[in-house]
Amino acid sequence: MRLLETDLQVLTRELSLYLEIQVPAGLFGSGVGLSLVLGFSAAFACYYLSSIAKKPQLVTGSESFSRFLQEHCPVVTETYYPTVWCWEGRVQTLLRPFITSRSPVQYRNELIKTPDGGQISLDWFDNNDSICFPDASTRPTILLLPGLTGTSKESYILHMIQQSEMLGYSMLLLNYLGQTGRETPLMAAAIFSAGWNVFESAESLEKPLNWLLFNYYLTTCLQSSISRHRQTLEKLFDLNLVMKAKTIREFDKQFTSVMFGYRTIDDYYVDASPCRKLKSIGIPVLCLNSLDDVFSPGHAIPIETAKQNPNVALVLTSCGGHIGFLEGMWPRKCTYMDRVFKQFVQAVFEHENQICSM
């Protein structure tokens, strides 16, 4: 209770100072106006501290994994204080790309051609100035895989590169890990804002407001990618139908499921849902999700399945949106997700024997 009272006093004082700067001085000229502002600040602070700022849920089927995280990645047990003026999930998701800074990163590109005629483009951040690991052959390597329509230039990827640089390293894959079990060269993995059940994700994104804010935009981005290669793809697909899609589900039905040889879109979505492979993961995996993420609704997160696998730990925050997790009054730099990433990666590399023996 003493801690809650202290937090309330601090937050009320910060809000009062902020409002004094933002609200016209005439309002504070009367005692009534000042009382109203202070009363509102106190009421909002009470609501924020009781309903918004909470410790995340830590779900894992292993006591040793839980102790490892509590000892070496304590951020997953600390109260997450979302930015007070944009804590709602959709707002965090929308504002994050515009608010967070973009760290200057110089990549070295490597293009790998695959046997089936495809190609993989890798952007390497070599970190040759690393003091901790001057020898590139022994320098830890992190594989970062951006999400749908994302690239190595996304602000959250750049932030992770910056955190890795500070540690001295250079990152992901749930379906891959579920298929390979322990037969993988990866030591551990961190997954952020995973869409656990593709059916539930598609349904959530098709709700009117979510469709307007996210679904239609992402669909047009995917169609733009198709347009750039229209001359090649029109020999294999009915691109007129693809370009008429108004939702991600319609795009997947006309293009993605066909491209990968699925009989129906339902067959594709069943195979693409990581929740169905969670039991088979064979290396330590930390998964951070927000319960208000419209891309991965909270009711679809496989909590009970995670409890059955000692290699999986879910960290579930009440707020944060999709790849949001903004914190602080002006969240330009480090987010809660960045801090989870940095502490977990550092713990894995610095306590390799401990995590590999779990």
Side-chain angles (χ1 to χ4, degrees):
M1 186 62 184
R2 178 71 60 87
L3 180 60
L4 180 60
E5 290 175 354
T6 303
D7 289 344
L8 177 59
Q9 292 169 357
V10 172
L11 186 56
T12 302
R13 184 169 64 251
E14 289 184 354
L15 284 172
S16 298
L17 291 172
Y18 178 75
L19 288 170
E20 285 182 24
I21 296 172
Q22 299 297 327
V23 178
L27 180 62
F28 288 95
S30 66
V32 174
L34 180 59
S35 297
L36 285 173
V37 170
L38 291 178
F40 171 78
S41 299
F44 179 80
C46 286
Y47 172 73
Y48 176 87
L49 292 173
S50 61
S51 302
I52 305 301
K54 296 181 179 181
K55 289 185 177 182
Q57 300 177 47
L58 178 58
V59 180
T60 178
S62 167
E63 281 296 324
S64 60
F65 199 179
S66 179
R67 285 195 302 270
F68 177 87
L69 293 172
Q70 292 177 47
E71 182 178 352
H72 303 299
C73 188
V75 65
V76 303
T77 63
E78 299 170 358
T79 301
Y80 165 47
Y81 295 92
T83 299
V84 295
W85 51 270
C86 66
W87 48 264
E88 197 273 335
R90 282 177 286 240
V91 179
Q92 285 232 353
T93 304
L94 287 169
L95 292 183
R96 190 270 310 159
F98 303 102
I99 293 178
T100 53
S101 61
R102 291 179 176 270
S103 308
V105 173
Q106 294 294 322
Y107 290 117
R108 171 178 60 85
N109 183 261
E110 179 182 5
L111 198 62
I112 301 174
K113 294 185 177 181
T114 59
D116 62 358
Q119 58 186 25
I120 301 171
S121 179
L122 295 176
D123 282 338
W124 289 95
F125 177 74
D126 294 314
N127 204 6
N128 290 323
D129 296 328
S130 172
I131 298 175
C132 299
F133 301 95
D135 185 355
S137 64
T138 60
R139 188 178 305 143
T141 300
I142 301 171
L143 173 65
L144 287 172
L145 302 182
L148 186 67
T149 75
T151 71
S152 60
K153 303 297 192 300
E154 300 298 322
S155 61
Y156 66 93
I157 295 291
L158 296 175
H159 277 222
M160 291 182 183
I161 291 290
Q162 185 181 43
Q163 299 294 332
S164 304
E165 180 181 17
M166 293 165 59
L167 291 172
Y169 318 136
S170 212
M171 233 182 238
L172 202 246
L173 46 178
L174 278 170
N175 281 325
Y176 162 76
L177 294 175
Q179 293 169 353
T180 58
R182 285 190 172 275
E183 300 301 316
T184 171
L186 300 178
M187 184 188 306
I191 314 291
F192 301 107
S193 297
W196 290 99
N197 186 313
V198 183
F199 292 98
E200 297 292 343
S201 295
E203 184 174 342
S204 174
L205 287 169
E206 287 166 3
K207 293 178 179 179
L209 182 58
N210 296 339
W211 177 85
L212 182 65
L213 294 176
F214 306 108
N215 202 328
Y216 182 71
Y217 171 74
L218 285 174
T219 303
T220 57
C221 287
L222 291 168
Q223 289 169 330
S224 296
S225 299
I226 298 300
S227 295
R228 291 196 294 269
H229 307 282
R230 187 176 188 114
Q231 192 172 10
T232 300
L233 295 174
E234 63 185 358
K235 302 173 185 176
L236 305 172
F237 305 94
D238 186 341
L239 293 190
N240 289 327
L241 285 177
V242 174
M243 301 311 289
K244 289 180 181 178
K246 302 299 182 185
T247 66
I248 294 176
R249 191 198 298 262
E250 291 176 1
F251 179 89
D252 287 338
K253 180 180 180 180
Q254 300 298 337
F255 182 79
T256 317
S257 60
V258 177
M259 179 176 66
F260 288 111
Y262 287 95
R263 187 173 58 86
T264 67
I265 187 176
D266 285 354
D267 291 338
Y268 167 55
Y269 277 6
V270 166
D271 213 23
S273 297
C275 62
R276 300 175 183 273
K277 304 180 181 69
L278 196 60
K279 292 181 180 179
S280 303
I281 290 177
I283 63 171
V285 175
L286 177 68
C287 306
L288 175 65
N289 277 88
S290 171
L291 297 177
D292 67 354
D293 182 353
V294 299
F295 286 79
S296 184
H299 67 268
I301 297 175
I303 293 177
E304 294 305 316
T305 306
K307 291 179 180 178
Q308 301 171 26
N309 189 334
N311 294 304
V312 175
L314 303 180
V315 179
L316 309 176
T317 60
S318 58
C319 301
H322 186 74
I323 311 291
F325 302 101
L326 303 177
E327 58 183 357
M329 193 60 76
W330 186 243
R332 282 281 295 163
K333 298 187 180 295
C334 190
T335 67
Y336 179 78
M337 184 178 76
D338 295 332
R339 294 197 292 126
V340 171
F341 166 78
K342 181 179 180 180
Q343 288 190 15
F344 181 66
V345 169
Q346 186 173 12
V348 168
F349 286 127
E350 293 186 0
H351 305 278
E352 178 182 350
N353 293 336
Q354 188 176 344
I355 198 167
C356 288
S357 64
M358 289 192 305

